[in-house]
Amino acid sequence: MPVTRLKLGKLKVVRRQLLQRYEHQPFVSCLAGLYGCQWRRYQRARAQPGECCCSKVECGSFGLLILTFFLSFLFLYFWSEAQNDYNDFDWFNFGTLGFWFPWSLVLLVVAAALFTYIALLLVLAVCLLTEGQRLYLHWSHKTGIVVTLAFSVIATAVLSDLWSKEWKTLLLSLQVTPFLHVAAVSLMAVLSWPIAFHFFRMNRKVRQVAVLGLFLSVLFSLYLVPLGMYSPCIKEAGTLGPAPRLFGHRGAPMLAPENTVMSFEKALEAGGEGLETDVTISYDGVPFLMHDSTLRRTTNVAEVFPNRTDLDASMFTWAELQQLNAGDWFLTRDPFGTVSSLSDADCFQAQNQSVPSLVQFLEVASRSGKLVLFDLHRPPHEHPYSQTYINTTLQVVQAHINSSQVLWLPSEDRALVQALDPELQQTSGEKASIQELAEDHITRLNLHYSTMSQQQISKYQSVNISTNLYVISQPWLYTLAWCAGAQSVTTNSIHILSNIRQPLFLMTPEEYTLMWILTDAVSALLIITVFIFHWWRERGLPFWSGSRQTHETGPYSKFRTELSDVWSVSSVHVRPDLRSTPSSPSTPHLPTITEE
């Protein structure tokens, strides 16, 4: 009697399941091979329902992998958000080591590479767990995890000690990146699949409570993060003030050698409304522009005066300073990686820059009608002008520019300077009470960007004290300063920030609340759906073995069909002539199936 269509259909389903199981093996082999170098099937083992996914050693390795993932991500995020201060970091190393190298960029690349490696290992582990496989991490990967963990911890500790203010930068970044909340909640929704898969396969309530409790604790914490979220860029429509004015930090140091006439001209061409510099007085009483205490970094003093490389810059006469080249270093070291974008004419001009005097700087600003802001370095005690450097500088200022264009930053003898020239805009580099600032006739504050506070800026603005923040070169920091109400910023990237017409991130409270609620609601729905699906699958696909019931519902167990299962479908309807045909014991005849 021929096999019915129903029986034939069942046989085809069994055959398709067997093929699916076979065709799925290369995927698991690839996962296990990359994770634990287990390329062959006999090297792998599948976690049975109720069993732990790995041994105690491998469980510890998996926990260390998770810890390394978070610590390496923390360092990568910390260092990537510190890009605003990479130039300071590289010059600090130059002063310490004596040679130039872009250490900041190398550190970023290494951190990104190590984090990518750890993230891929974690993805492989999660995929293996989802496939119901027992974890086995190869020793080479364990070594890589330890190296990455050590690198992340040591680098974070060292940079925290040297640049503790960068943690304030990281906190500031959270004020303009609320989308991190969306990314974190989305990640938890993705992780809910393997967590739910193993939750319903555990046979110990303690493990189930621990896993689910930890998952829900993290999830609910992320859901409630926006309650403590503060950002000056979340404000009512129409309350955003004007964009901060831009002061060129030592000119335009990305387009020309810092503190040169070319640099200040480039800053004005790029749209700068003010110029910032540093003034030192020469041994013979000529104020000139130099930021460092020595000439080693920004001139060729090692070639012209090899025995005076570490001598204080103020101990050189003006005639000696004029012998130095102040631009060739810029083309050789390329501190910002921007030299390749310069034209041949700009490169030639940069190569022939000299150390400028304060008079040259003031003339550039006076012709353009722009504001100037400068700090004044006090010379050593043995310097001839150590007691009169302020008066000498003030006389040059009064002779070459309108005093109202000058933001006077030096705090020494401020009362005397105010009495001699009351038109100067007295500027303080430190925060103080409004009463103290008023007593010193302070009209502006020049503060580091890490001290940015919308409340304090508004408080000072209410008594006509403007706030300038330095040094802001990243667009996201400029956005934050704009939203916080800063009146001006000092920047290295004046050619970039001048093209920003609106904040990169700006939302009304209603829009942010809607984004927050939708993100939490959608993720909660997805996670609940995932848990319901795994609960239904574990309860709906039982496998009976004798008198003991187990749930073989893994991705492979549901396709676990033996050859005898195939015979069970077709053994009832086999042609009679085949049953009576003798056959060799070693070569069994297969039944012939005919369709009605």
Side-chain angles (χ1 to χ4, degrees):
M1 181 177 179
V3 179
T4 64
R5 296 179 186 272
L6 179 61
K7 296 294 185 181
L8 181 62
K10 290 182 177 180
L11 182 61
K12 290 181 178 179
V13 170
V14 172
R15 178 177 178 274
R16 183 168 63 252
Q17 291 175 343
L18 287 171
L19 288 175
Q20 288 175 343
R21 180 185 178 186
Y22 172 77
E23 293 170 352
H24 199 62
Q25 284 299 319
F27 174 68
V28 179
S29 297
C30 183
L31 293 177
L34 293 174
Y35 186 79
C37 203
Q38 294 177 323
W39 297 97
R40 301 181 183 277
R41 185 177 177 185
Y42 68 83
Q43 295 175 317
R44 305 191 301 271
R46 190 170 59 84
Q48 299 300 319
E51 291 183 348
C52 183
C53 61
C54 51
S55 64
K56 292 183 179 180
V57 174
E58 295 304 322
C59 187
S61 299
F62 182 63
L64 189 64
L65 175 62
I66 295 176
L67 176 64
T68 305
F69 173 82
F70 283 109
L71 290 180
S72 60
F73 172 76
L74 175 63
F75 175 73
L76 178 61
Y77 184 76
F78 166 80
W79 193 238
S80 62
E81 293 303 317
Q83 288 185 43
N84 190 79
D85 301 321
Y86 278 4
N87 190 56
D88 295 338
F89 178 78
D90 290 334
W91 286 126
F92 170 82
N93 288 316
F94 173 82
T96 303
L97 303 175
F99 64 92
W100 167 262
F101 190 77
W103 295 105
S104 57
L105 184 60
V106 172
L107 194 58
L108 180 64
V109 171
V110 172
L114 291 177
F115 171 74
T116 302
Y117 166 68
I118 295 300
L120 289 176
L121 282 182
L122 188 59
V123 170
L124 290 174
V126 171
C127 290
L128 286 171
L129 291 175
T130 304
E131 294 295 333
Q133 297 291 312
R134 292 179 65 86
L135 295 182
Y136 172 77
L137 185 64
H138 194 259
W139 66 267
S140 61
H141 289 321
K142 293 177 182 177
T143 303
I145 291 174
V146 173
V147 170
T148 304
L149 180 62
F151 170 82
S152 302
V153 171
I154 294 174
T156 302
V158 172
L159 291 175
S160 297
D161 182 57
L162 296 176
W163 274 277
S164 58
K165 64 182 181 181
E166 295 302 335
W167 286 107
K168 296 182 180 179
T169 305
L170 185 144
L171 295 177
L172 288 176
S173 71
L174 299 180
Q175 297 182 14
V176 291
T177 53
F179 299 106
L180 284 177
H181 167 251
V182 178
V185 171
S186 301
L187 178 62
M188 294 299 292
V190 173
L191 291 178
S192 66
W193 183 273
I195 289 175
F197 175 81
H198 285 277
F199 173 79
F200 289 108
R201 291 170 66 90
M202 292 178 178
N203 56 4
R204 296 183 181 181
K205 295 294 184 181
V206 176
R207 289 181 180 176
Q208 287 183 318
V209 172
V211 170
L212 187 61
L214 179 61
F215 177 78
L216 292 180
S217 298
V218 175
L219 182 64
F220 288 144
S221 298
L222 291 176
Y223 282 167
L224 298 178
V225 160
L227 289 177
M229 173 70 182
Y230 164 76
S231 173
C233 295
I234 300 176
K235 54 176 53 188
E236 297 291 345
T239 60
L240 179 67
R245 291 186 291 179
L246 301 175
F247 279 72
H249 183 235
R250 306 171 201 167
M254 290 187 177
L255 305 177
E258 67 176 62
N259 278 337
T260 60
V261 173
M262 176 185 178
S263 183
F264 297 117
E265 291 175 345
K266 288 290 186 181
L268 296 178
E269 291 175 6
E273 298 184 47
L275 301 173
E276 185 274 344
T277 189
D278 306 271
V279 178
T280 301
I281 193 164
S282 70
Y283 196 77
D284 52 350
V286 178
F288 67 98
L289 308 188
M290 184 59 56
H291 173 268
D292 298 359
S293 60
T294 69
L295 303 171
R296 187 162 60 102
R297 181 174 67 90
T298 58
T299 70
N300 62 339
V301 66
E303 300 175 6
V304 181
F305 304 104
N307 298 325
R308 303 170 67 185
T309 302
D310 296 323
L311 191 64
D312 193 282
S314 62
M315 302 304 288
F316 289 79
T317 65
W318 178 242
E320 291 172 334
L321 292 170
Q322 288 300 285
Q323 300 178 42
L324 301 177
N325 183 293
D328 191 57
W329 68 272
F330 175 76
L331 302 177
T332 304
R333 293 167 184 160
D334 193 10
F336 293 96
T338 55
V339 170
S340 60
S341 64
L342 302 182
S343 65
D344 293 339
D346 286 340
C347 290
F348 179 79
Q349 184 181 0
Q351 191 174 16
N352 292 279
Q353 291 297 298
S354 59
V355 177
S357 65
L358 177 60
V359 171
Q360 292 174 286
F361 168 73
L362 295 176
E363 288 176 348
V364 172
S366 180
R367 289 195 301 266
S368 59
K370 303 300 183 181
L371 298 175
V372 297
L373 169 67
F374 64 85
D375 201 0
L376 182 59
H377 298 299
R378 181 169 194 153
H381 291 292
E382 61 273 18
H383 194 282
Y385 291 84
S386 61
Q387 302 301 321
T388 60
Y389 72 102
I390 292 182
N391 285 335
T392 302
T393 304
L394 184 59
Q395 291 173 6
V396 172
V397 169
Q398 292 175 324
H400 294 88
I401 194 173
N402 190 322
S403 296
S404 61
Q405 293 178 239
V406 179
L407 279 58
W408 186 267
L409 186 58
S411 58
E412 293 84 357
D413 297 329
R414 188 182 294 276
L416 176 61
V417 172
Q418 171 65 20
L420 293 176
D421 194 342
E423 292 188 10
L424 293 172
Q425 297 190 44
Q426 295 295 329
T427 305
S428 174
E430 298 179 356
K431 291 186 291 186
S433 67
I434 293 179
Q435 181 179 355
E436 291 174 330
L437 296 176
E439 291 175 353
D440 291 336
H441 303 91
I442 301 298
T443 59
R444 288 179 182 266
L445 290 175
N446 186 50
L447 306 175
H448 190 267
Y449 73 85
S450 62
T451 64
M452 188 188 314
S453 169
Q454 182 179 16
Q455 291 78 11
Q456 290 185 343
I457 292 175
S458 299
K459 180 183 70 173
Y460 291 130
Q461 178 62 24
S462 65
V463 291
N464 296 321
I465 297 179
S466 302
T467 301
N468 179 72
L469 300 175
Y470 70 93
V471 172
I472 290 179
S473 301
Q474 293 295 311
W476 72 266
L477 269 174
Y478 180 67
T479 289
L480 195 60
W482 188 347
C483 294
Q487 284 73 41
S488 60
V489 300
T490 303
T491 178
N492 290 325
S493 57
I494 196 168
H495 60 297
I496 297 175
L497 300 188
S498 61
N499 293 321
I500 298 178
R501 303 306 177 192
Q502 61 182 9
L504 301 181
F505 167 72
L506 184 64
M507 298 180 72
T508 64
E510 292 76 16
E511 291 173 337
Y512 181 70
T513 302
L514 179 61
M515 182 185 72
W516 168 30
I517 294 176
L518 286 179
T519 299
D520 291 355
V522 171
S523 65
L525 181 61
L526 289 175
I527 291 172
I528 292 174
T529 302
V530 167
F531 271 81
I532 291 177
F533 170 77
H534 283 285
W535 172 82
W536 168 82
R537 191 177 71 168
E538 292 299 323
R539 290 179 59 87
L541 297 175
F543 179 81
W544 288 86
S545 178
S547 60
R548 181 182 177 185
Q549 184 183 15
T550 60
H551 292 278
E552 295 264 337
T553 56
Y556 299 111
S557 58
K558 62 181 180 180
F559 299 137
R560 194 173 176 177
T561 307
E562 304 295 340
L563 189 60
S564 59
D565 297 331
V566 180
W567 300 136
S568 65
V569 179
S570 56
S571 58
V572 178
H573 300 288
V574 182
R575 288 172 48 183
D577 57 331
L578 291 177
R579 293 183 180 178
S580 59
T581 303
S583 60
S584 170
S586 60
T587 310
H589 284 280
L590 296 178
T592 302
I593 302 174
T594 59
E595 182 177 355
E596 292 182 353

